[in-house]
Amino acid sequence: DTAVSQTPKYLVTQMGNDKSIKCEQNLGHDTMYWYKQDSKKFLKIMFSYNNKELIINETVPNRFSPKSPDKAHLNLHINSLELGDSAVYFCASSPLGTDTQYFGPGTRLTVL
Amino acid sequence: DQQVKQNSPSLSVQEGRISILNCDYTNSMFDYFLWYKKYPAEGPTFLISISSIKDKNEDGRFTVFLNKSAKHLSLHIVPSQPGDSAVYFCAASAGSGTASKLTFGTGTRLQVTL
């Protein structure tokens, strides 16, 4: 009965590659988010989607492209990976009209 | 410019005693505050929240206090248990509704010792 799930949990890849991280929530929430936790453990929002519509885009490089095929899924595609993209990426979701967000387990991305 | 600050990177408390974790913020537009708990290799887990119209919210062993004039909030855990050992993040948002973003502090690692 996983609430917010992400795949893969670990991702190791070479610089310049393109990769995707998938997120699914079975909570029936309308809003989904991507956060990045960098090496200093600072958790920062990247994107949010409400019912498949982009709501927040926090000046993230356009190599990062979120895609929401339906309101239960928000995937993150990253082109031309750079060393600085190495981080833990968390997906989250929240019900409409509330600020309480529920997080997935995270995807640790390592770019070599 | 860090709008949410947790100035203590770590805290050690004996089992059974009270743990007090602190958080300061600078943005006066924040009106909703949350605490999350995070174990290694897991995502943050929602613990407790408080709206700016309140100054206290309690849930079992966890109580959050908000001092708006000081732009300060704290999380009290009593009694502390070994399973409470984790990293605690304070978060804040400005205006609920569609997709409010959370601004996080850098976390405080709590160690509850036997």
Side-chain angles (χ1 to χ4, degrees):
Chain A
D1 59 343
T2 308
V4 182
S5 60
Q6 296 178 227
T7 52
K9 189 159 176 67
Y10 299 96
L11 185 53
V12 181
T13 188
Q14 299 285 334
M15 239 178 10
N17 283 351
D18 303 338
K19 290 293 177 187
S20 292
I21 306 171
K22 296 187 176 184
C23 177
E24 176 181 0
Q25 55 96 3
N26 62 5
L27 297 166
H29 291 167
D30 296 282
T31 310
M32 296 185 73
Y33 310 79
W34 278 109
Y35 284 82
K36 178 181 180 181
Q37 186 178 36
D38 59 23
S39 56
K40 294 181 181 176
K41 307 300 181 189
F42 197 40
L43 249 171
K44 193 169 180 186
I45 190 160
M46 300 173 69
F47 301 101
S48 78
Y49 268 72
N50 183 61
N51 237 335
K52 304 193 297 176
E53 182 184 342
L54 178 67
I55 303 296
I56 295 174
N57 181 342
E58 283 287 305
T59 59
V60 175
N62 56 17
R63 297 183 296 104
F64 290 78
S65 51
K67 293 259 185 329
S68 182
D70 55 61
K71 76 172 197 176
H73 295 84
L74 181 61
N75 304 322
L76 184 65
H77 188 77
I78 316 169
N79 289 329
S80 304
L81 278 156
E82 300 178 356
L83 293 176
D85 297 332
S86 295
V88 182
Y89 292 85
F90 290 99
C91 176
S93 71
S94 67
L96 189 64
T98 79
D99 294 344
T100 304
Q101 297 177 18
Y102 298 87
F103 285 78
T107 295
R108 181 176 290 279
L109 171 65
T110 303
V111 182
L112 303 174
Chain B
D1 173 31
Q2 215 171 314
Q3 299 182 60
V4 178
K5 297 178 186 178
Q6 294 176 255
N7 292 318
S8 299
S10 63
L11 175 68
S12 182
V13 171
Q14 259 190 329
E15 182 181 10
R17 303 260 186 178
I18 184 170
S19 295
I20 301 176
L21 296 98
N22 294 304
C23 178
D24 297 293
Y25 62 96
T26 56
N27 188 341
S28 55
M29 298 300 291
F30 288 146
D31 61 0
Y32 192 71
F33 304 88
L34 309 92
W35 284 94
Y36 283 83
K37 174 180 178 179
K38 186 181 179 305
Y39 293 119
E42 293 184 13
T45 302
F46 170 69
L47 205 53
I48 192 169
S49 62
I50 188 167
S51 163
S52 60
I53 61 173
K54 294 186 173 182
D55 54 19
K56 177 183 174 181
N57 188 24
E58 192 172 348
D59 183 2
R61 296 186 298 114
F62 303 92
T63 304
V64 55
F65 295 91
L66 175 63
N67 182 333
K68 280 180 62 180
S69 59
K71 293 192 176 67
H72 177 84
L73 63 154
S74 61
L75 174 68
H76 292 211
I77 307 173
V78 54
S80 300
Q81 298 173 354
D84 296 330
S85 297
V87 177
Y88 289 79
F89 289 95
C90 168
S93 73
S96 64
T98 303
S100 297
K101 66 176 187 179
L102 294 182
T103 301
F104 282 85
T106 48
T108 297
R109 181 177 300 279
L110 173 65
Q111 178 76 36
V112 179
T113 58
L114 297 171

